[in-house]
Every structure is written in structure tokens, then in C-alpha cells.
Amino acid sequence: MSMNGDKGRARYADVAVIGGGPAGIAAAVAAARLGVRVILVERYGFLGGMSTAALVTPMMTFSAGGRLVIAGVAQELVERLIEMGGSPGHVPDPVGFVDTVTPVDPEAMKAAAEEMVLESGAEVLYHCLATGVTRESAMERKEAEAEEEEERSTPKPAARARVASVEISSKGGSLSVVAKQFVDCTGDADIVCLAGGAWRAGRDGDGLTQPGTVFVRMAGVDLSKVAAYVAEHPDDFILRAPAGGGGEVHLPYMGVCGFFSKVAQARLAGEFPVERDRVLFFAGVHPGEVFVNMTRVQSRSTLAVEDLTSAEIQGRRQVRAVVDFLKARIPGFEHAYVVQTGAQVAFRETRRIIGEYVLNEDDILSGREFADGIARGAFPIDIHSPDGHGLVAKRINGGVSYSIPYRSLVPAELDGVLVAGRCISTTHEAHASTRVMPTCFATGQAAGTAAALAVLHGTEPRRVPVALIRSELRKQGAIL
């Protein structure tokens, strides 16, 4: 191989999925299983996105009202993890925020996701970051479609600019990925942004986004001691309500949301500088292991490199404060130690595309059903204050789920690309529900399926009949 490595080379595919988190995993598997050539591009050296890189676990939530609302590729992956001893599967949420949670071992997730993607026939390119987009201009598209219209005598919507290739940067230089269709699963709408598509970030008014979190994986925790303290001081915790009302609730899995009084005492004593009012952690898959979600990294921008750098530094400083607090004040943590922190801040919110439909708060809280629904969500609207320590939670009426329309995956101004995962077309409020990993898996499977169907039928994703997409998703075990 030359000293230039990848520089100037091109790779070709029918469908290129950019980003290997939950959405990208599902998109690549779904597309490849339909027989098209798929390349999955990932910036890290492993798949899993925030579940592995940022240690975000458990996943919330695959179910609502006691039944699954998200299945398909995601459920297959969970079943693999169970077989590997990497997850207990879907278990009741011990703090009652959602119906069930799904703990995963991050290392098992890396292995299971990778094998599943490779078995589907998709190719994986690691250590590649998307840095540019080549697109066909709207004028070129209009000319091409005018010729088609003369031949077929069927009216078409106005032509849009089309994503033709994505430039990725690797250790060997730049590499061009040329595909018939792209799926933007970057979590940050990188491809749409680089292509000049419309997007928004943060809440209306000031553009501030929800804070991020540096997750901490700790071991050596005496969970029986924690459980005993919770049982003695139930008023200091948010606990899952007993089924049917009354009596004690006994769960096979531990998660803790509380110790409010201990946090308040530490803040008054100047021992806990983090903008957090509670202890929040969930047990891991292994004995004595917990994943702590307590840091609160607020940043003016989740896009500017200076702010991202500051967020990482701030997050690690907060980790030290959190760990010191837990060891000093929380029963069961006296001999605990840090195993790992996330490779990056887990940002809840960055860019969101402007799609053909912008999913809103009323859609979610009312449990709205869409005729072009291609996935479901069940997570409450969960907004961590962008500029304080508070949290706003709004539940779906009746505890049911809601439908996500295909139009929210279709960029309003671009052809040749669909979007899945955290950055689909929503408002700031709706995003606070759709951002979670099970929902990202579901939208990823839908986008990968639609992209493959667009290739197979020689058309653009926005023109693929939704009935065809929905039918194929049902065949794949997806719940609509």
C-alpha cells in the first residue's frame, strides 16, 4: 500500500449509513437484509454509539403498558445480549419512570452489534469521520427529472439538491463514499448539515440544549447495603409503585433515584458543586457494578470545538466530585471504585433536522397515530434544564406509546438521504422523548428499510410508497 493510504480513494455502495450507534446498527442490518450493498461508517473503532462510547445504560424503554412497542432488529440484538450474558433483558424500571429498562454490558454490546451487522452482509469502516458532502445541484436534478417526465408524462414535485457522496477522513487521508442513498445516523445531523440542509438546535428563544452527562461505571458497591437504606428511608426516594397498589414492591434489578436529603446536606456544606438534586444510578450486569448518571455538563454549544473541549474537562471534574460524594455519604459505596468513564460526554441534544413533518409535544403527549407511522416511542418528555438543575417530565396520556411519521425522517430540502436516531425532525420538547436508544433503533430500522427500497425501485426515499415501507417493516418484526 502507498504511503498515502486512503487518500483520493472512493468506495461504492447502494446504501451508505453514516454513524454506528443504535440507529446506524438497525439501518445497516435492515438495508443489507434486503439484498443491497451496504457500507456502515463509524468514527470510533466499535459500534453502539452512546451505549458503548458514553456508557449510557440501561436503555429506556422498549415497552409501554406491559407490552413491547419496539422490536425488530433491536429485539434481536437484545436476545443476542441475553445469550451472551450481556443483558438480563427487559426488566421493570425500579424507579418507575418508564415501564421497563434494558441494562446492557457495553463490551457485550460492542461484540453483539458488530457480529449482527457483519452477518447481515454490510461492510463496516471504522475510524472514519464524515467531513464533507458532494451534492448534485437542484438545477442538475431538474434537468434530469424533466427528461424523465417527458418520457413518463407524470408530474413530479420540484427537484431538490441531492446528496451524491460523503467525504470521510481517516488516518490514511480522505476517502469518498459514493452511494445511491445515504442514511444520516450521526446523532448530530452531520450529513444533512454538511449538505446545506435545514436544521435547528436547542430550545426556541435562546437555542440552549439539554445538558450532557459523563457516565461513571463503578464497581465494589455493596448493593444490599444500599437496598437496606432505601427500605428504611422510602420517603427520600422515587420508587416504583407496587402493582395493583399497596404493599411492598420487590424487583430483581436495582436502580436508585433519591438520597435527596444527602445531596441537599452536601450542597449546603459546599461538598457537592454539581447542579444535581439527586443520586441516580442503575445496577450493571455484573455483581457490585453500577452506572452513575449524576454529572450535569452544561455547554453554550454542542457543536463548537472549544465548547466541546470545555464540556469534557468540566465533566471529568464533576466525576471526581460525584465519586467523592458517593464514597463519603452514600451507604454501600464506602469501598467502591471507578472502573471507567465515558469516552465522551453523552449529549442529550444537538442538531435536529427540519423534515417534511416536525413532530411536536402534542403529538407525543396525546399518543397520536400517523398514517405514515414507521416506528413507535414510549419515553416521556424528559427535559433536563439547559441552564439550571431542574427537570421537567411529561408523561404520555394513559401511559401509551405514540407513532413516529416517516416524514420526520425525510429532510425537507434534500434528496438521496434519510435521517434516523436522535436528530430526526422534532421540536425541542418532542426530541426529549424521541432521543432515547430504543426509539433510535426503531427509526434506524425504518430508514434503512426505506433507503434500500428506494434503491431497489430506482426512486428517491420521499417517493417510496409508505404502505410498502410499513409492509416490509412488519415482515421484519417491527411494531408500528
Side-chain angles (χ1 to χ4, degrees), residues 144-217:
E145 289 180 358
E147 293 176 5
E148 292 178 16
E149 188 174 338
E150 285 182 11
E151 294 176 7
R152 292 163 41 179
S153 299
T154 55
K156 295 184 177 180
R160 298 164 180 81
R162 185 177 193 283
V163 175
S165 67
V166 170
E167 184 176 281
I168 56 177
S169 177
S170 72
K171 287 291 185 182
S174 61
L175 176 69
S176 182
V177 175
V178 182
K180 296 175 183 176
Q181 298 293 338
F182 290 86
V183 185
D184 186 340
C185 297
T186 62
D188 306 314
D190 288 348
I191 306 309
V192 168
C193 178
L194 290 167
W199 56 272
R200 291 182 184 142
R203 62 189 180 187
D204 293 342
D206 58 16
L208 292 180
T209 58
Q210 291 198 57
T213 295
V214 175
F215 279 72
V216 189
R217 188 180 194 177

Side-chain angles (χ1 to χ4, degrees), residues 55-69:
L55 307 180
V56 180
T57 182
M59 296 189 284
M60 303 180 180
T61 173
F62 281 81
S63 60
R67 62 184 179 86
L68 281 179
V69 294

Side-chain angles (χ1 to χ4, degrees), residues 323-341:
V323 171
D324 289 346
F325 162 76
L326 292 172
K327 289 174 66 68
R329 289 184 175 262
I330 303 303
F333 279 80
E334 294 87 352
H335 304 293
Y337 55 94
V338 174
V339 174
Q340 185 182 11
T341 58

Side-chain angles (χ1 to χ4, degrees), residues 350-370:
T350 58
R351 300 187 191 98
R352 313 180 308 274
I353 70 158
I354 304 301
E356 291 195 333
Y357 184 82
V358 180
L359 194 69
N360 62 55
E361 179 177 353
D362 289 341
D363 295 332
I364 287 172
L365 296 182
S366 66
R368 184 174 176 185
E369 299 293 331
F370 290 92

Side-chain angles (χ1 to χ4, degrees), residues 131 236 262 386 406 446:
T131 56
D236 207 20
K262 288 188 175 291
Y406 179 57

